[in-house]
Amino acid sequence: MKFITGIFFSLLSLSAFGQLDPSSNYREKLSLDNGWRFHLGDIPFPEVKGHQKSYSNAKAGKAGGAAATDYDDTDWRTLNLPHDWAVEGSFDSIANLAQGYRKRGIGWYRRSFKIDPKDKGKNLELQFDGIATHCTVWFNGIVVHRNWSGYSSFYIDISDMAKYGDALNNIAIRVDAIDQEGWWYEGAGIYRHTWLVKRSPLHIATDGVFAHPVKKTAVEWEIPVEVTLANSGELRSDARVISTLFDPHGNKIVSEQRVINAASLDKTIVHLNLKTSNPKLWSVEQPTLYRVQTLVEQNGHVTDTLSTSCGFRTIRFDADSGFYLNEKPVKLQGVCNHQDHAGVGVAVPNSLWEFRLRKLKEMGANAYRCAHNPPSAEFLDACDRMGILVMDENRNFNSSPEYMGQLTWMVRRDRNHPSIILWSIFNEEPMQGTEIGYKMGRRMSAEVKRLDSTRPVTAAMNGGLFEPVNISQAVDVVGFNYQTNNYDRFHKENPKMMLTSSEDASALMVRGSYITDAAKHTLDSYDTQKPVWGSTHRRAWRVIAERPFMAGCFIWTGFDYHGEPTPYDWPTTGSSFGIMDLCGFPKAAYYIHQAQWIKDKPILHLVPHWNWEVKEGTPVKVMAMSNAEKVKLILNGKVIGEQEVDKYEMNSWEVPYKPGKLEAIGYVKGKEVSHFSVETTGQPVQIKLTADRSKIKGDGWDAVPVKVEVLDHKGRPVQTANLPIEFEVQGEGTIIGLGNGDPNSHEMEKGNKRSLFNGLAQVILQSKAAGNGELLLKANSKGLKSGIVKIDIEPVKNIPSVAVEKPSMVLDKWLLSPISAVKPDPNMVLASNDMNSWQPVGAGNPRVFPNGNFAVFRASFTPYLAQQNNGGSIILKNLTGKAEVWLDKKLLAVKNGEDLSDFSVQFPAGKGKRELSILIETSFGKPAGLGGLVTIE
């Protein structure tokens, strides 16, 4: 057992990606993000017409057009993932407003890579974390997957179709972003990570470990570990499965093992049970994480291992008193959010999730609803680490097999996360109050429970609650969307049902704006604006806080998002529902919720700014957000007034405007506990840049938002500035996005220019791979002193990745003529319906010619554009035997010796498809032919 224990401890040094060192013999999880070639717009497939084309079109590996392995993509754009092409474009008034007036359309991606021959026999799997919206995937010319949800990951076993050594493997993906699943901005393209996973034939299946702690007694806990083994080997195999629990410091706590027999080409479920006592609990305040290490042994050798995070915590909903975490009452102070951010759209870097979650935690939020789709795995990892409670939501309400598969995937992938407390099966479905809807919901709820019985199922309902048969009867916790006036009635009529608000508020405001002007599409930030279905932030929270039976709320929304402009449409392109704007800059609502939700430190904030271009004496509404007992307001040293703090409505005054300094002081029991002020500023004189972090990793993934503002001669931020700024970068990093939070802005979100909006803008910087040293961002604007920020790039190990291969044409689909004792015509013509006299073969192995000395190998190809214009070379590796090389029925070259050797032939320029015939002659019984790859260069 010492050997196994030693392995366990060595595994604790895994990187954040959870995979072993690529040099190991276990599993490798390699990024496929780099080096994709991209074409915006559809590429029609060639017309299938005639017997030969029809026959070929129906065969594996014979995909045509841009899906073909030899398609010329050399002039396509090269980029790294994640990628959202919609956010790169301009706005279009005739495009769909729900998608933010962005053109989406269709795009193609292609990538080539090699696989080491030592990996032959391993289980090889492609993993795509998210592609918007629908897609078809070809691998080596074979259709291997069609995906019908832009939010679901999918995994493709390519073990049987992979090529090794110098042979290129090709992935081609057609992405259809004309189709849409939501009524919000969904982006377009491969917007989440991609991977190649290499594992032993006997391995743990993807999403194949379920290890979620369950409390048994006051001090005793157990982790029922379920391991799904897959065996892609040719033989049934005995195996030992070992699971071990480690504490946060890497100390082993308990281990258990099972011996099983795994059938070939099948999956085997293994159950283990890890028992422990008095673990440290996972909570919002202290999100303590443990690790379950699962190891597979075959014939005394480790074949696979997987490390799974878990947290010890209990959750409980009560019909009378709400939600309990670890048996302590916790009011859910939550927000709903879509998954896009300024500048990057839905292609959000991992580190930006942490930035967004940290802003929410600082506001006092403790819960997050993934609206209305499963999030990225990296997002959930961040919630686990940071202590955010999550409602994980299914995208499509549908109980047919295809869509039940999407639901099953979500639960299997996510069920180990301690942050998740609710599974939501839908949002606002028209059939929610019907018998059909009930039956569908019942079936979907049962599927969730089959996979995870530890968490309740909910559904976000905006109607049908009082119908005789409705979805509320098929779920564990009833979710209310905008049903504020029905909370009491529903609870009275259904006193045993557990309830939460799944979506509320929908209040509207624009950051830094304090006047509502429909003509200018502006909204004030005093929490006065709301749609007919919504509530102000203050009222929405009050009705939740005053009702113990309501578990809590999920406010619509934490952040603004592209698309779904409300209440205005064009030229408004984004929402104004957010507590923060699209960049994460707080609006007044942020401080309202801080005052409502934070209890352990003083909160005080004033709005608006104090730079008003009005006559002195003009009344200006001033609002104070505080959790103190009293607030005093002072203007230029003169007391304006003092009020008891209203913990729900906040406090406000009408103040005659006079330039100067406006101050607020918060008091508790007569003692000053907080102070806040705003001042009338001078004109901007300099730019200030503030990076969210002073150091980032040089891995090519880490990204950091930089706040851009301008200061007056006294160093005070000018909140009313709307100046153009231009940026330049020095060092191992790049700008990947720009924003300013203005829902009416049509400026590009890529590039190096952005205007301030009400005093603020944001630049998102990302390191380059193998980056090191200092990353410098400089901001310039005419007449202002430039702003400079320096960020240290920390050298780190490269993210394990699949090497990028340049596009090259490999001819690996050949026809072999019948063997002949006499020299045949190398240019003999085959009938279009002759599919049988010549045999399909590959290159790479010389062969013995039975009963003859001659054979013809034939392939057709269309040279890349550069080769069509300039000619090129045919490179025949390990060509064996005498040979004549014919192209388009013209002799190009002759090889006179029979020995194995590389042979290179130049070919002339020419358009269209070319026919290559290679006549081989060999001595009787001596192997000959295409002994290696044939490439066109």
Side-chain angles (χ1 to χ4, degrees):
M1 196 62 192
K2 288 183 179 179
F3 167 69
I4 294 174
T5 302
I7 290 176
F8 282 143
F9 278 105
S10 70
L11 296 176
L12 291 175
S13 63
L14 302 181
S15 74
F17 304 101
Q19 72 267 3
L20 293 166
D21 186 284
S23 64
S24 76
N25 293 320
Y26 308 124
R27 66 168 56 200
E28 297 178 67
K29 187 174 184 180
L30 305 175
S31 171
L32 263 173
D33 284 355
N34 293 342
W36 287 81
R37 297 180 297 281
F38 172 68
H39 175 85
L40 180 59
D42 200 9
I43 300 174
F45 284 89
E47 182 181 7
V48 178
K49 191 175 182 181
H51 188 91
Q52 189 177 51
K53 288 185 178 180
S54 298
Y55 185 88
S56 180
N57 179 69
K59 302 303 178 183
K62 291 289 189 176
T69 57
D70 59 354
Y71 185 82
D72 183 4
D73 56 17
T74 52
D75 63 344
W76 288 15
R77 172 187 171 192
T78 300
L79 53 79
N80 296 336
L81 306 178
H83 175 234
D84 175 359
W85 81 67
V87 80
E88 297 175 340
S90 58
F91 299 94
D92 187 337
S93 63
I94 64 173
N96 187 351
L97 85 168
Q99 299 288 339
Y101 295 103
R102 300 278 195 173
K103 291 182 179 179
R104 300 177 74 224
I106 292 173
W108 281 84
Y109 295 83
R110 288 171 56 89
R111 195 193 196 282
S112 298
F113 64 98
K114 295 178 180 178
I115 302 175
D116 196 302
K118 71 179 183 182
D119 293 323
K120 188 172 288 189
K122 289 185 178 179
N123 180 268
L124 304 175
E125 185 174 86
L126 298 176
Q127 297 183 353
F128 295 89
D129 289 351
I131 299 179
T133 297
H134 297 163
C135 70
T136 304
V137 182
W138 290 263
F139 180 70
N140 290 339
I142 303 172
V143 175
V144 289
H145 190 76
R146 292 183 174 92
N147 197 55
W148 303 115
S149 175
Y151 304 100
S152 296
S153 302
F154 56 91
Y155 319 125
I156 305 169
D157 188 333
I158 60 168
S159 306
D160 300 336
M161 296 168 277
K163 302 173 186 176
Y164 299 89
D166 289 332
L168 285 182
N169 292 277
N170 176 266
I171 307 169
I173 304 177
R174 181 183 185 270
V175 179
D176 181 354
I178 296 174
D179 288 336
Q180 61 187 60
E181 292 181 88
W183 51 96
W184 58 88
Y185 177 85
E186 297 185 284
I190 309 178
Y191 72 95
R192 290 180 183 169
H193 293 300
T194 57
W195 309 91
L196 171 65
V197 181
K198 303 178 182 180
R199 294 173 289 208
S200 298
L202 182 63
H203 60 275
I204 302 166
T206 303
D207 301 333
V209 172
F210 183 27
H212 187 61
V214 177
K215 189 173 185 179
K216 304 305 290 184
T217 69
V219 297
E220 299 296 326
W221 291 72
E222 64 181 33
I223 305 179
V225 182
E226 179 186 286
V227 182
T228 303
L229 289 185
N231 183 6
S232 58
E234 296 185 3
L235 301 174
R236 178 180 286 273
S237 177
D238 289 331
R240 186 187 307 273
V241 180
I242 308 155
S243 282
T244 302
L245 176 65
F246 291 91
D247 72 13
H249 304 291
N251 300 310
K252 176 183 173 182
I253 298 174
V254 63
S255 183
E256 190 176 63
Q257 56 185 280
R258 290 280 186 275
V259 175
I260 58 94
N261 186 264
S264 174
L265 298 179
D266 203 354
K267 291 182 177 179
T268 304
I269 307 297
V270 184
H271 294 279
L272 306 98
N273 199 19
L274 303 177
K275 297 181 179 181
T276 188
S277 58
N278 294 315
K280 293 182 179 179
L281 300 184
W282 185 95
S283 67
V284 171
E285 299 78 17
Q286 292 184 311
T288 304
L289 293 174
Y290 286 67
R291 304 290 290 180
V292 172
Q293 197 75 44
T294 303
L295 183 146
V296 181
E297 279 187 347
Q298 183 181 20
N299 300 324
H301 299 285
V302 176
T303 65
D304 198 10
T305 187
L306 187 67
S307 185
T308 306
S309 292
C310 68
F312 290 85
R313 56 103 180 107
T314 64
I315 60 172
R316 177 169 64 88
F317 287 81
D318 185 90
D320 295 316
S321 53
F323 175 70
Y324 290 80
L325 179 65
N326 299 324
E327 292 305 321
K328 296 179 181 178
V330 174
K331 203 75 167 179
L332 298 177
Q333 298 169 175
V335 293
C336 306
N337 283 295
H338 290 310
Q339 58 177 358
D340 59 310
H341 190 90
V344 296
V346 295
V348 179
N350 299 348
S351 51
L352 210 53
W353 292 125
E354 294 199 9
F355 165 78
R356 288 164 65 94
L357 289 170
R358 179 160 33 85
K359 298 294 289 187
L360 292 171
K361 287 275 284 190
E362 290 169 358
M363 183 181 72
N366 61 18
Y368 190 111
R369 177 183 174 214
C370 303
H372 303 289
N373 50 263
S376 71
E378 293 82 9
F379 166 83
L380 292 173
D381 290 340
C383 290
D384 289 346
R385 293 192 302 270
M386 300 175 71
I388 299 283
L389 304 168
V390 175
M391 181 194 295
D392 201 353
E393 190 156 273
N394 176 58
R395 169 76 291 273
N396 294 297
F397 182 51
N398 192 323
S399 60
S400 65
E402 171 72 34
Y403 293 93
M404 288 290 278
Q406 294 176 14
L407 178 65
T408 297
W409 162 80
M410 180 185 78
V411 178
R412 283 184 61 86
R413 185 197 67 165
D414 296 348
R415 57 187 175 173
N416 289 308
H417 291 281
S419 56
I420 295 174
I421 61 169
L422 283 165
W423 302 112
S424 174
I425 57 173
F426 72 64
N427 174 73
E428 297 180 358
E429 287 293 334
M431 289 190 289
Q432 60 199 333
T434 68
E435 184 177 359
I436 292 175
Y438 163 77
K439 288 180 178 179
M440 290 170 61
R442 174 176 168 269
R443 187 180 295 272
M444 295 175 75
S445 181
E447 176 65 8
V448 173
K449 292 298 180 61
R450 183 183 68 82
L451 297 164
D452 175 28
S453 61
T454 69
R455 299 174 179 88
V457 175
T458 188
M461 300 182 66
N462 66 333
L465 289 154
F466 300 101
E467 296 300 315
V469 178
N470 67 78
I471 285 287
S472 71
Q473 297 151 5
V475 296
D476 305 304
V477 176
V478 182
F480 293 101
N481 282 19
Y482 309 106
Q483 299 295 304
T484 304
N485 295 330
N486 285 323
Y487 294 163
D488 293 333
R489 176 190 168 190
F490 191 89
H491 178 58
K492 183 178 180 180
E493 294 182 14
N494 304 276
K496 294 184 178 180
M497 285 190 174
M498 298 173 286
L499 315 178
T500 189
S501 167
S502 43
E503 186 173 320
D504 56 37
S506 270
L508 299 158
M509 60 178 70
V510 172
R511 177 187 56 76
S513 174
Y514 299 98
I515 296 173
T516 297
D517 186 338
K520 296 181 178 179
H521 285 208
T522 62
L523 297 158
D524 74 73
S525 291
Y526 293 111
D527 194 29
T528 64
Q529 304 299 309
K530 63 181 183 62
V532 293
W533 67 83
S535 303
T536 64
H537 287 280
R538 293 167 292 169
R539 181 175 183 271
W541 174 246
R542 181 170 193 155
V543 295
I544 294 293
E546 292 180 341
R547 287 162 174 78
F549 61 84
M550 293 297 294
C553 72
F554 290 90
I555 295 167
W556 191 263
T557 53
F559 296 83
D560 280 343
Y561 52 95
H562 298 84
E564 200 178 17
T566 308
Y568 311 118
D569 52 21
W570 182 265
T572 302
T573 63
S575 81
S576 296
F577 293 116
I579 295 170
M580 289 173 274
D581 70 14
L582 196 57
C583 300
F585 294 129
K587 305 180 187 179
Y590 188 92
Y591 306 106
I592 290 173
H593 289 296
Q594 270 195 333
Q596 292 171 338
W597 290 350
I598 292 178
K599 311 298 182 186
D600 59 353
K601 66 177 182 180
I603 298 296
L604 179 59
H605 194 88
L606 283 179
V607 294
H609 57 77
W610 211 239
N611 283 358
W612 291 92
E613 296 180 359
V614 296
K615 290 182 179 180
E616 288 193 21
T618 300
V620 175
K621 182 178 180 179
V622 174
M623 190 172 183
M625 290 77 82
S626 176
N627 60 1
E629 293 175 352
K630 291 184 178 181
V631 172
K632 180 188 292 184
L633 189 68
I634 302 168
L635 177 60
N636 296 330
K638 180 181 178 181
V639 175
I640 299 296
E642 184 175 308
Q643 296 181 12
E644 299 282 340
V645 168
D646 187 325
K647 66 179 182 179
Y648 294 122
E649 292 297 319
M650 306 293 117
N651 297 80
S652 60
W653 295 262
E654 292 291 330
V655 178
Y657 179 68
K658 186 173 184 179
K661 185 176 184 179
L662 183 69
E663 301 174 84
I665 302 173
Y667 297 91
V668 173
K669 298 180 179 178
K671 181 180 178 181
E672 180 179 330
V673 295
S674 52
H675 180 272
F676 189 87
S677 65
V678 291
E679 296 183 57
T680 306
T681 65
Q683 293 300 308
V685 298
Q686 69 180 68
I687 303 171
K688 181 182 179 182
L689 301 177
T690 307
D692 182 63
R693 290 178 289 137
S694 61
K695 181 183 294 186
I696 61 174
K697 296 178 181 178
D699 58 8
W701 282 16
D702 202 0
V704 59
V706 178
K707 181 171 72 172
V708 186
E709 56 189 335
V710 290
L711 309 178
D712 71 358
H713 65 289
K714 291 185 178 181
R716 298 171 297 189
V718 183
Q719 297 182 42
T720 51
N722 294 281
L723 302 171
I725 310 287
E726 188 167 343
F727 305 95
E728 54 184 285
V729 176
Q730 297 175 14
E732 297 298 306
T734 187
I735 296 172
I736 62 169
L738 304 140
N740 62 15
D742 181 2
N744 299 309
S745 174
H746 290 183
E747 293 181 316
M748 296 294 289
E749 294 186 61
K750 303 294 182 180
N752 70 331
K753 297 178 181 179
R754 192 71 180 188
S755 297
L756 298 177
F757 173 62
N758 291 336
L760 295 172
Q762 185 178 78
V763 178
I764 303 173
L765 298 175
Q766 188 171 55
S767 67
K768 294 181 180 179
N772 191 6
E774 193 172 74
L775 175 59
L776 185 145
L777 177 68
K778 185 178 181 181
N780 305 301
S781 187
K782 186 177 180 179
L784 301 184
K785 181 180 178 181
S786 297
I788 296 176
V789 66
K790 297 177 181 178
I791 300 167
D792 291 330
I793 298 182
E794 178 186 7
V796 295
K797 289 184 178 180
N798 290 335
I799 293 168
S801 301
V802 178
V804 176
E805 302 291 340
K806 69 176 183 179
S808 80
M809 186 180 298
V810 179
L811 303 186
D812 57 0
K813 298 178 181 66
W814 294 84
L815 289 176
L816 175 62
S817 71
I819 306 303
S820 173
V822 297
K823 185 177 180 179
D825 177 5
N827 299 309
M828 66 184 77
V829 177
L830 295 179
S832 63
N833 61 347
D834 182 357
M835 306 301 168
N836 299 293
S837 62
W838 288 42
Q839 300 301 308
V841 297
N845 292 302
R847 66 191 65 229
V848 175
F849 294 176
N851 304 317
N853 306 89
F854 296 94
V856 178
F857 291 82
R858 180 174 293 170
S860 60
F861 66 97
T862 301
Y864 292 162
L865 184 61
Q867 297 159 349
Q868 292 185 37
N869 293 331
N870 305 312
S873 300
I874 303 169
I875 310 296
L876 299 103
K877 293 284 188 179
N878 297 334
L879 183 62
T880 308
K882 296 178 181 180
E884 295 178 3
V885 179
W886 295 75
L887 184 67
D888 300 331
K889 298 182 172 55
K890 294 180 180 179
L891 180 64
L892 291 185
V894 176
K895 176 177 177 282
N896 293 312
E898 291 190 7
D899 292 342
L900 177 151
S901 63
D902 295 346
F903 195 66
S904 178
V905 181
Q906 298 297 118
F907 68 89
K911 301 295 183 181
K913 182 172 287 190
R914 319 292 290 271
E915 183 180 83
L916 177 63
S917 297
I918 302 174
L919 173 63
I920 299 292
E921 178 184 358
T922 185
S923 301
F924 183 77
K926 188 174 181 180
L930 307 179
L933 291 180
V934 180
T935 58
I936 308 298
E937 299 180 3

